Amino acid sequence: MVDENEVKQLIEMGATAAQAREALRRTRDFAEACELVFSGDLDGIVDEPMAESSARATGKNTTRLPTPDDDDDGDGDGDDAMDDDDDGYIDYDSDYETRHQVAKQGASQADPYAGIFFSKDRKEEVIEVVEDDPERVYVPLVNATRPVMTQGEWMKGCPEGGEQSFLFQLANLLGSEACPCPQNCGYEVKRQRSDFFTVYPEFKQYVTTLRKTVSHNCTNCGTTFCLGCGDAIARDKIHRPGASSDDNPLFHCSNLQGVILGVGLSMLEHTYAESNSASSPPGDSDKPRVAKRRKLEGTPEEEEDEYGSGPKGKKAKGGVGYAGAIKEDMSGHLEALAAQKVKDQQIGGLLKEVRVFLPTLRRDGGGQPSDYLPHPTTLAHLRRRFNHVSSSLLRNDSLTDMGDRSVLYFELFEWLETISSHEALASMMAMPCMVVTSVRPSKNSSNKSSIRERVVTYEGSAGPRELLEAIVIQAQAAMKGLEGFKEPERTVDQMTEEEKRMTTQERKGKEKEVDYQTEENARLLKFCERILSTASAIDRSLRQTKGDAFVDRLHASLPKIPKSAGADTTSTAPAEGATEQEVQKVYMDWATRVRFEYCDLTVEGSSGETVNYKTVFNNEARMLANADLPKRSLAIAKELAVLTTNLPVAWDSSVFLRVDETRVDIIKALITGPEGTPYYNGCYCFDIFLGSSYNQTPPSVKYMTTNGGKYRFNPNLYADGKVCLSLLGTWSGPGWVAGKSTLLQVLISIQSMILCEEPYLNEPGWATQSGTPQSKAYSANVRRMVVNTAMLGQLKNPTEPFGAVIRTHFKLKKKAMTKQLDDWVRQDDGQATMGDGGNTSPSGSAGGSNPQFAKDVEELKKLIQAL
C-alpha cells in the first residue's frame, strides 16, 4: 500500500503522481524512491491529467524540468517539436551522465553549468507548491514564534540539471535524518527542520542561533561534531596551513553553506519585495522591465506610453508642444528619498551579511573548506533568488538614481565580482535570468487545502553581465561628459609660427588646468569608475575561470554603442519571404543598435584657425571651447547616461542621436515621423547645442529639414528652423524646470506633440477646428511637403551624419512605405504645395492628386525599391 503523504511529498518535489506512486511501489522506501525519481529512470511515466500543465517546451515531464533544447534521441515522442525549435541553442540540460558523475565525484567538485551559454529564448513551466500554513516554532532569542521555511519555498524557482535532487537531499538530511557520533560510540542526535530552516526577523539572529546549534558534543565520548555533515570538528582541520584561523563552525562544511545561503537569499528576496511593494503592484518585479515615462501631473494618456513605443494611432487633439507646461508633482519627494535610503541601507546591509558565506578563494584570513568545494545547491540559490534581486537593480535606467543609491549598488558590485571569481559559480554571469511571466493555479490544486499547487511560467531574459553592460554604457557616457570640452589637438602644420617655436612643456604650461572635481562631479565619477572596474574584474575573472572562448562569446552578445556614424547599418536585411512581424523585429533590433552614436562633427579649418563644427551653433560651440563649467559638465554627463539607453525606438517612430566624440555638447537628432500622422516615415533632423548654462536653461534646438528654408511643416516648426515649444522657452506657458527638465523630454515632446495627427490644431487660434476642411487641407499640404523633402529629399541627399540610418530606414520599411504612399496619393486634394501651410484653404473643385506630388511619389517608390 502506497503512503499518500509520501506521494504528496514527491509531487511537491517535482514528480508527477504516476512517477511518485511507481517509485514508492518499486522501492518501498521514501529515500530510495526520491533517488529513483531524480535519477531520470521514470521520465517516461507521465500522468494524463498532468500532461498539459507539466509538459515543457520539449514535451517532457516535470521531473527533470528540461529546457527547450533538450535532445531525447531514442524517445521518439517530441522529436519533431524539438527540431522546429532548435535554432542553435546550447543544450542546457543534457545532464543524465553529469548527474551520475556528480553523485560519484561529490557534486561540489563539478560545475554542471560549464557548457551553458547565452540563449535567452527559453520558456519553462514549473509546478510549485505553496503552503499557506507553515510550521511555526517558538524562538527564545526573539521571544516569539517564527515560521519554518516550507519545502515548497525552499525548492521554488526555475531548475537546471539535477538541482531539485540536491535541494531535496540537503533539506531531507538537515530536516529529518539522525546524526550519529563520528566515533561510532552509539550516540546520535535527531536533527530538527526548525534548527536549520527557521526564518528570523534578521539574518544576524539566524546566524547566531545556528552557530550555537551546529556544534554538538557527544555525551558518550566527548567528541565535538558538526550537525551539518556529521564529521568531527578538529582543531588541526580548521587551522591547516594557508587556511582561515577562524573557529566559526558555520564554515565547517558545504552543507551548512548551502542552507545558510538558501535561507539568507530567501530573506533577501522577501525583504526586497517588501521594499518595493509600496510603489509597485504585487508581482511587478517579476515582469520584464518596460521603461516608462515619468508620471507628470496633467499628462495626457499618451504620455504614459512606453519610451520605446513611440506615438501611434490617434492622439489627443490640439497638441501644441506644451510638454514644459506640465508641472511635475514634487509632493512627498524628499520623504520618498529618505524612505528609499533607509530601504537601501537595509538591503545593502543584508547583502553584506549574507556575502560572508558566499564561496570565495579570496577570503580575508584564508579560505574555508566550503570555499574550495561549494555545495551544489549554491548556484541554484544564486540563480533563483539572487538573480531576481540583482536583475531588478541592474535594469535601472538612471545612472543618477544608481549613484544616489551607491550604498546598495557598491555591495551589489561586490557580489558580482565574488561570483565571477569562483570557477563553480562564474558561468552564472552569462546565464539568462529566468523571469516570472505568469502564474496560474494548477488543475490539481484544491482551494480547501492549505497546500496549493501553481504553474509558474519562466522566460529567459538578459543575464547579469549583459545587464551590467547597459550600465557600463551609461557610465562611459557620463565620464565623457565629465571630461569637459576640449578642441581636438592640432597637428604641427595647423599651428601658428609662435606655437611651433614653443616647446612641448611651454605649450602645456600655457594650457589652462581645468578642475572638474566639484563634490558632486567627483562622486559621480567615482561611481562610474566603480562600474567600469566591476565589469573589468568580472571579465578578468571569467577569462581565468572559464577561458577566453567563453568571454569572447559573452562579449559578442553584449549591447554596444557604435563609435562612429559610419557603422555598418546598411547590412541589416530581413530574410527572404519574412513576415511583417519578422521585418518589424529586424527594424527594431537595428534601430536599437544605432539609435545613439558618437561621431566626428568637426570641420577642418585653415592653418592656425580654431576648429569649426558641422552645426548651426558653430559660433556658440567655439566660444565654449575649453570652458571650465563643472555644473554644466555634470548635467551633460547625467543627460548622456540617460540618452544612451532610453531613446524611443519603435516601428512606428524612433529617435536617433549623433554626438560629437570630443564635444558632447554638440548633438544632432533625427526623428522619424509617427504613424497616423501626415509626418509618418519622414526623416526630420535637428541641430542641438547644450549651452553654457545647461541645464539651468534649455538647450538650443533648430529644425533643419526645411527644403532650404522654404517649408514650414507645422505651426511649431518654422521655415527658418525655429522650434516653438514651451520647454524651450519659445512658446507660451510654463516651460523648462531648471535642473530637472531634460533633452529627452524635448525630443519626445517634438515626436509626440508637434509631429501630431492634426498639425493645424497646433496654432492656438485654430485649436477647436478638429476635423474641419481647413484642417484636412493643411494635413494634405503637409504630406506633399513631407514626400518632397523629408522622404525623397532625404533619400537623394541625406542629412549627415544620418545617411546610413536614412537609407536603412527606407530599405526596411519599403513594403509598408509603398502602401502608405499609395494611400496618400488617393487622399490628396490636388492643391499646389504651399510652403507656409497656414495659408492653405480647402477647395472642392480640384480632382485627383497634385501632378508634382504624384511625380515625387513615383520617383520615391522607384528609389525605395532599388535599395
Side-chain angles (χ1 to χ4, degrees):
M1 192 71 179
V2 176
D3 188 329
E4 289 301 320
N5 289 328
E6 292 180 345
V7 171
K8 182 177 292 186
Q9 282 185 276
L10 286 171
I11 292 174
E12 290 175 7
M13 289 183 282
T16 67
Q19 291 168 345
R21 294 180 189 280
E22 179 63 17
L24 290 167
R25 185 186 65 77
R26 292 187 190 181
T27 61
R28 303 294 180 182
D29 178 81
F30 182 70
E32 292 181 9
C34 292
E35 293 181 8
L36 181 60
V37 166
F38 290 110
S39 70
D41 294 342
L42 302 180
D43 282 359
I45 301 175
V46 183
D47 292 336
E48 287 302 321
M50 293 288 290
E52 180 181 348
S53 62
S54 64
R56 303 298 181 265
T58 56
K60 294 192 177 183
N61 59 52
T62 58
T63 313
R64 289 186 60 238
L65 296 165
T67 56
D69 46 341
D70 276 335
D71 281 325
D72 276 346
D73 295 340
D75 278 2
D77 294 338
D79 284 349
D80 292 339
M82 271 269 313
D83 292 340
D84 291 340
D85 294 334
D86 186 9
D87 294 328
Y89 287 8
I90 302 300
D91 189 357
Y92 278 70
D93 195 36
S94 53
D95 64 326
Y96 285 105
E97 183 179 351
T98 303
R99 278 183 291 184
H100 293 302
Q101 292 173 345
V102 166
K104 293 177 182 177
Q105 299 173 5
S108 58
Q109 299 182 39
D111 179 4
Y113 302 93
I116 294 177
F117 271 100
F118 319 101
S119 172
K120 292 180 286 188
D121 301 322
R122 300 183 56 203
K123 186 174 183 180
E124 304 281 353
E125 282 189 355
V126 179
I127 296 177
E128 296 182 354
V129 177
V130 180
E131 298 179 47
D132 295 326
D133 189 19
E135 176 190 357
R136 299 184 70 90
V137 296
Y138 176 75
V139 179
L141 183 64
V142 297
N143 192 28
T145 60
R146 296 297 303 169
V148 178
M149 182 182 289
T150 65
Q151 188 81 346
E153 175 68 18
W154 171 253
M155 301 187 71
K156 81 169 188 177
C158 185
E160 295 283 357
E163 284 181 354
Q164 295 296 78
S165 176
F166 296 134
L167 287 166
F168 169 75
Q169 290 171 8
L170 182 60
N172 191 56
L173 173 71
L174 300 181
S176 60
E177 294 184 10
C179 182
C181 175
Q183 302 301 328
N184 298 319
C185 65
Y187 179 80
E188 67 177 25
V189 180
K190 177 69 174 177
R191 295 185 180 102
Q192 301 291 331
R193 187 175 180 86
S194 57
D195 291 339
F196 298 92
F197 295 94
T198 299
V199 181
Y200 287 73
E202 296 181 11
F203 184 71
K204 287 181 179 178
Q205 296 170 335
Y206 169 74
V207 170
T208 300
T209 305
L210 187 61
R211 181 168 183 166
K212 296 176 180 177
T213 304
V214 297
S215 295
H216 201 84
N217 292 319
C218 175
T219 58
N220 289 349
C221 65
T223 300
T224 301
F225 61 95
C226 172
L227 283 184
C229 62
D231 292 340
I233 300 178
R235 290 285 175 181
D236 58 348
K237 179 178 178 181
I238 293 179
H239 292 164
R240 69 191 185 284
S244 172
S245 59
D246 189 359
D247 292 336
N248 190 343
L250 297 181
F251 291 105
H252 177 262
C253 65
S254 63
N255 287 344
L256 292 175
Q257 176 194 67
V259 70
I260 292 172
L261 284 174
V263 173
L265 289 173
S266 176
M267 294 176 66
L268 172 68
E269 188 179 28
H270 286 286
T271 302
Y272 184 75
E274 290 170 3
S275 72
N276 291 334
S277 61
S279 57
S280 301
D284 268 12
S285 58
D286 287 333
K287 298 178 182 177
R289 181 194 69 147
V290 176
K292 299 250 184 182
R293 300 184 188 181
R294 297 191 319 188
K295 174 64 178 171
L296 300 177
E297 183 182 349
T299 308
E301 289 289 333
E302 290 73 15
E303 286 295 303
E304 290 195 69
D305 200 0
E306 303 169 11
Y307 269 131
S309 67
K312 49 187 167 184
K314 292 185 176 294
K315 299 170 183 60
K317 308 299 183 188
V320 291
Y322 275 175
I326 303 165
K327 294 182 179 179
E328 186 172 1
D329 183 6
M330 298 295 291
S331 61
H333 181 64
L334 295 178
E335 292 83 350
L337 288 178
Q340 183 66 63
K341 185 175 182 180
V342 172
K343 294 175 185 176
D344 289 344
Q345 289 174 339
Q346 180 186 13
I347 297 170
L350 181 54
L351 276 168
K352 187 173 183 178
E353 292 170 9
V354 178
R355 181 165 56 86
V356 172
F357 299 93
L358 198 62
T360 174
L361 303 180
R362 304 171 182 174
R363 189 180 302 278
D364 293 340
Q368 297 283 2
S370 57
D371 291 332
Y372 296 94
L373 300 174
H375 197 272
T377 62
T378 300
L379 187 54
H381 296 314
L382 291 171
R383 274 199 331 99
R384 301 182 187 202
R385 301 183 187 279
F386 173 71
N387 262 0
H388 169 73
V389 177
S390 66
S391 64
S392 178
L393 292 172
L394 292 174
R395 284 186 172 92
N396 193 336
D397 55 14
S398 171
L399 189 70
T400 302
D401 179 66
M402 287 185 278
D404 292 340
R405 304 170 65 188
S406 59
V407 64
L408 174 57
Y409 278 89
F410 280 164
E411 183 57 38
L412 174 64
F413 298 154
E414 289 287 346
W415 270 77
L416 296 176
E417 289 185 28
T418 303
I419 291 170
S420 65
S421 67
H422 202 292
E423 186 174 3
L425 309 178
S427 56
M428 194 188 89
M429 290 293 101
M431 293 173 66
C433 295
M434 300 305 291
V435 178
V436 175
T437 56
S438 71
V439 180
R440 69 176 189 274
S442 168
K443 293 182 178 179
N444 293 347
S445 184
S446 171
N447 294 328
K448 299 179 181 179
S449 172
S450 61
I451 300 177
R452 298 177 287 108
E453 289 184 357
R454 62 183 185 179
V455 180
V456 183
T457 301
Y458 292 88
E459 293 188 8
S461 64
R465 182 60 183 86
E466 182 177 343
L467 291 172
L468 180 63
E469 187 66 16
I471 299 177
V472 168
I473 290 172
Q474 294 186 50
Q476 290 171 335
M479 292 178 71
K480 205 170 184 66
L482 289 171
E483 287 175 359
F485 310 96
K486 302 176 181 179
E487 295 182 0
E489 292 186 8
R490 286 177 290 163
T491 59
V492 174
D493 59 346
Q494 292 176 318
M495 295 180 182
T496 63
E497 290 301 320
E498 181 181 356
E499 289 173 331
K500 291 177 183 178
R501 287 192 293 270
M502 295 171 61
T503 65
T504 302
Q505 291 299 323
E506 289 175 332
R507 282 197 297 270
K508 287 185 176 180
K510 279 189 167 289
E511 291 177 358
K512 183 178 180 181
E513 293 296 330
V514 181
D515 180 16
Y516 297 102
Q517 299 302 309
T518 65
E519 182 179 349
E520 192 174 0
N521 290 39
R523 189 164 57 246
L524 179 60
L525 180 62
K526 178 183 177 182
F527 185 67
C528 292
E529 290 173 341
R530 182 68 172 87
I531 292 171
L532 299 185
S533 68
T534 296
S536 297
I538 290 174
D539 291 345
R540 187 167 54 251
S541 296
L542 287 175
R543 289 194 183 277
Q544 296 171 355
T545 58
K546 308 304 294 182
D548 291 341
F550 184 93
V551 177
D552 293 342
R553 172 78 180 272
L554 172 61
H555 281 189
S557 67
L558 297 180
K560 299 174 180 65
I561 295 293
K563 296 291 184 180
S564 70
D568 183 14
T569 59
T570 57
S571 61
T572 304
E576 189 71 27
T579 65
E580 183 178 350
Q581 290 74 18
E582 291 170 339
V583 174
Q584 290 186 13
K585 184 180 184 304
V586 170
Y587 185 93
M588 286 287 293
D589 291 343
W590 160 76
T592 301
R593 192 167 64 249
V594 303
R595 60 183 168 180
F596 183 98
E597 290 183 7
Y598 295 106
C599 64
D600 184 5
L601 295 177
T602 60
V603 177
E604 292 187 6
S606 58
S607 177
E609 290 186 352
T610 303
V611 175
N612 291 286
Y613 298 91
K614 302 171 186 176
T615 175
V616 295
F617 302 108
N618 178 55
N619 291 334
E620 292 89 335
R622 289 170 56 184
M623 290 175 62
L624 288 180
N626 299 313
D628 179 8
L629 301 168
K631 289 186 177 180
R632 173 179 181 251
S633 298
L634 179 64
I636 294 176
K638 294 179 178 179
E639 188 83 68
L640 289 175
V642 172
L643 291 171
T644 53
T645 56
N646 286 281
L647 290 172
V649 168
W651 173 261
D652 303 325
S653 178
S654 300
V655 178
F656 301 88
L657 281 195
R658 296 296 178 261
V659 180
D660 184 73
E661 54 196 7
T662 58
R663 288 289 303 270
V664 292
D665 51 349
I666 301 172
I667 301 172
K668 288 180 177 287
L670 182 150
I671 301 176
T672 60
E675 185 178 10
T677 73
Y679 303 98
Y680 187 37
N681 280 328
C683 296
Y684 310 93
C685 296
F686 300 82
D687 274 11
I688 300 168
F689 181 67
L690 309 180
S692 60
S693 56
Y694 188 81
N695 66 352
Q696 297 303 304
T697 58
S700 301
V701 180
K702 187 160 186 177
Y703 178 54
M704 305 302 294
T705 311
T706 63
N707 193 16
K710 298 176 183 176
Y711 284 168
R712 181 181 181 183
F713 279 78
N714 187 288
N716 297 75
L717 297 176
Y718 282 70
D720 63 1
K722 181 180 179 181
V723 179
C724 288
L725 195 66
S726 61
L727 262 177
L728 300 177
T730 52
W731 195 261
S732 60
W736 188 265
V737 180
K740 294 190 176 297
S741 295
T742 66
L743 176 58
L744 185 59
Q745 287 178 314
V746 172
L747 295 170
I748 292 175
S749 295
I750 294 172
Q751 179 195 40
S752 61
M753 304 183 78
I754 291 182
L755 303 179
C756 59
E757 183 181 4
E758 285 193 81
Y760 186 77
L761 308 183
N762 279 16
E763 192 67 55
W766 305 335
T768 61
Q769 300 186 39
S770 174
T772 61
Q774 288 81 2
S775 177
K776 293 178 180 179
Y778 191 99
S779 294
N781 190 68
V782 169
R783 286 193 292 268
R784 290 190 288 270
M785 290 190 291
V786 166
V787 169
N788 177 267
T789 302
M791 297 177 81
L792 179 60
Q794 289 283 34
L795 196 52
K796 293 170 68 174
N797 187 24
T799 301
E800 293 301 334
F802 294 108
V805 171
I806 291 170
R807 286 188 293 271
T808 306
H809 165 72
F810 283 99
K811 176 182 177 181
L812 292 178
K813 301 192 76 171
K814 60 184 176 182
K815 183 176 179 181
M817 210 174 287
T818 299
K819 182 180 182 301
Q820 168 196 337
L821 292 171
D822 291 339
D823 291 340
W824 279 11
V825 169
R826 285 192 294 271
Q827 296 172 25
D828 191 54
D829 58 11
Q831 297 295 307
T833 303
M834 302 188 67
D836 187 347
N839 294 325
T840 301
S841 59
S843 173
S845 59
S849 64
N850 175 288
Q852 184 58 47
F853 178 55
K855 181 180 178 181
D856 288 345
V857 166
E858 287 305 313
E859 184 179 0
L860 176 58
K861 287 163 67 174
K862 289 180 181 178
L863 290 176
I864 292 174
Q865 294 304 319
L867 290 172

